[in-house]
């Protein structure tokens, strides 16, 4: 993996997070979601989401950024969010809420490192198991979560997205934190 920095997000990062989020949505979900859903998830909508999250984070929640070689002056390559379960349909105390890696930074170990750091953050918050929802049609992400030891635990239709989702879970986050270790630089 190229030299990167993983750090906790701060209020001043909202615009960068929103820009990455909107770009990653277009890159990832084109062909998997209706175009109207993708278009509605623009930079302004994403900024609203992440500004609220940074202004009033839930206890035990983390929002992590992955930056290129130059740190805060370098490009934002990825981000991830995790915390206490938001969705009662997931029968685990924690949830991986977001993981977005720009296409140009994929397959470099960044997503793996970010998942490991989020697992560690959840463990530090006293959360030992977590799940996530992913589009059923997103086969690349599903393979990634399976490779990291995620177990398929549920499925549902998501009318807001106009697509089916499946849930993966890690019943022991210590295993995720340890199993996904690879050199980070």
């Amino acid at each position: 993996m190229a030299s990167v920095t993983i750090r906790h997000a701060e209020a001043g990062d909202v615009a960068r997070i929103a820009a990455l989020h909107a770009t990653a949505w277009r890159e990832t979900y084109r062909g998997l979601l209706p175009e109207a859903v993708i278009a509605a998830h623009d930079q302004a909508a994403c900024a609203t989401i992440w500004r609220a999250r940074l202004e009033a984070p839930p206890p035990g929640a983390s929002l992590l950024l992955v930056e290129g070689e130059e740190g805060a002056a370098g490009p934002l390559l990825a981000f991830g969010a995790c915390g206490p379960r938001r969705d009662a349909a997931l029968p685990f105390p924690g949830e991986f809420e977001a993981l977005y890696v720009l296409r140009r930074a994929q397959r470099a170990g960044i997503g793996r490192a970010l998942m490991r750091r989020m697992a560690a953050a959840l463990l530090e918050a006293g959360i030992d198991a977590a799940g996530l929802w992913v589009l059923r049609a997103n086969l690349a992400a599903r393979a990634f979560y399976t490779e990291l030891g995620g177990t398929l635990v549920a499925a549902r239709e998501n009318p807001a997205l106009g697509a089916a989702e499946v849930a993966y879970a890690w019943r022991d986050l210590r295993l995720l934190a340890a199993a996904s270790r690879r050199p980070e630089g």
Side-chain angles (χ1 to χ4, degrees):
M1 178 168 62
S3 179
V4 298
T5 301
I6 300 176
R7 68 172 177 86
H8 288 275
E10 300 169 356
D13 295 316
V14 168
R16 293 173 72 209
I17 296 167
L20 186 146
H21 193 180
T23 299
W25 256 71
R26 287 189 306 274
E27 291 179 350
T28 303
Y29 300 127
R30 184 145 288 130
L32 299 178
L33 290 175
E35 282 299 317
V37 173
I38 294 170
H41 213 82
D42 63 10
Q43 191 168 341
C46 293
T48 299
I49 293 166
W50 299 112
R51 184 176 299 106
R53 173 62 180 270
L54 286 169
E55 288 175 356
S62 292
L63 179 54
L64 300 170
L65 307 181
V66 180
E67 297 170 317
E69 295 178 3
E70 300 86 15
L76 184 59
L77 303 172
F79 77 92
C82 62
R85 173 183 66 191
R86 302 170 303 161
D87 189 332
L90 289 174
F92 304 95
E95 185 174 349
F96 295 104
E97 303 163 23
L99 174 64
Y100 290 100
V101 181
L102 291 175
R103 182 169 285 144
R104 65 185 169 85
Q106 291 176 2
R107 304 205 188 297
I110 290 171
R112 178 179 295 277
L114 195 48
M115 284 293 290
R116 180 171 45 84
R117 288 288 294 271
M118 287 192 295
L122 289 170
L123 287 166
E124 289 172 16
I127 297 171
D128 62 355
L132 60 79
W133 290 103
V134 61
L135 290 179
R136 181 173 62 201
N138 190 343
L139 301 179
R142 292 180 63 188
F144 172 73
Y145 295 132
T146 298
E147 179 185 325
L148 291 178
T151 303
L152 186 62
V153 295
R156 69 180 181 189
E157 291 297 321
N158 185 329
L161 295 178
E165 295 177 310
V166 292
Y168 284 83
W170 289 262
R171 290 178 169 85
D172 185 347
L173 289 175
R174 294 173 300 171
L175 297 175
L176 174 58
S180 62
R181 288 195 186 277
R182 281 191 184 166
E184 288 189 38

